[in-house]
Amino acid sequence: MSLVHLRAFVLEIGRNAQLAAVCASDRAADADDQAAIAREAGFDVHPADLVNCQDGALVEHVDEDFYMKPNWWALVEGVNVPSTDAADTIDFDGDGIIDAIRIGDKWVLPDEEC
């Protein structure tokens, strides 16, 4: 998994209110649950990706489990999920280079085919 896949999942959470509701629910309390939801939605995200992202900034460690922080997707660095449908591009890291572009209702990342 690369950060690109996690960012793509985060973009989809920001775009899709139903997916955001599922990710915020009790059904998705830990990293295993979130990764399963990501894979069901077609993203190559694994529990270790969520746990290790940003040195554990997205999770809280309790005993042997890693629980996701509330609205963890807003904590992913470099992802500025637009609050309106007006934004057609995203610059994840602020370097002036467009990292994702909206084509219809889909966000396309540089390594994806349209």
Side-chain angles (χ1 to χ4, degrees):
M1 194 297 299
S2 71
L3 188 54
V4 171
H5 294 277
L6 182 55
R7 285 177 171 164
F9 180 50
V10 169
L11 286 172
E12 185 63 19
I13 292 170
R15 189 190 72 74
N16 183 327
Q18 289 179 321
L19 182 59
V22 170
C23 289
S25 72
D26 290 341
R27 173 183 171 218
D30 65 20
D32 293 321
D33 298 335
Q34 290 288 340
I37 291 167
R39 287 191 305 275
E40 287 171 13
F43 299 92
D44 187 23
V45 176
H46 302 275
D49 302 327
L50 295 162
V51 170
N52 296 326
C53 184
Q54 297 166 206
D55 295 322
L58 309 181
V59 296
E60 296 172 351
H61 186 246
V62 178
D63 295 324
E64 295 181 11
D65 292 317
F66 290 94
Y67 292 97
M68 302 307 295
K69 291 182 179 177
N71 296 324
W72 63 266
W73 51 90
L75 303 174
V76 177
E77 290 178 359
V79 177
N80 180 16
V81 179
S83 59
T84 69
D85 287 337
D88 291 325
T89 62
I90 291 180
D91 176 7
F92 289 131
D93 49 16
D95 63 359
I97 298 172
I98 295 171
D99 296 308
I101 186 168
R102 183 194 317 256
I103 299 176
D105 65 350
K106 181 181 178 187
W107 284 97
V108 179
L109 299 166
D111 65 345
E112 291 184 28
E113 298 281 330
C114 291

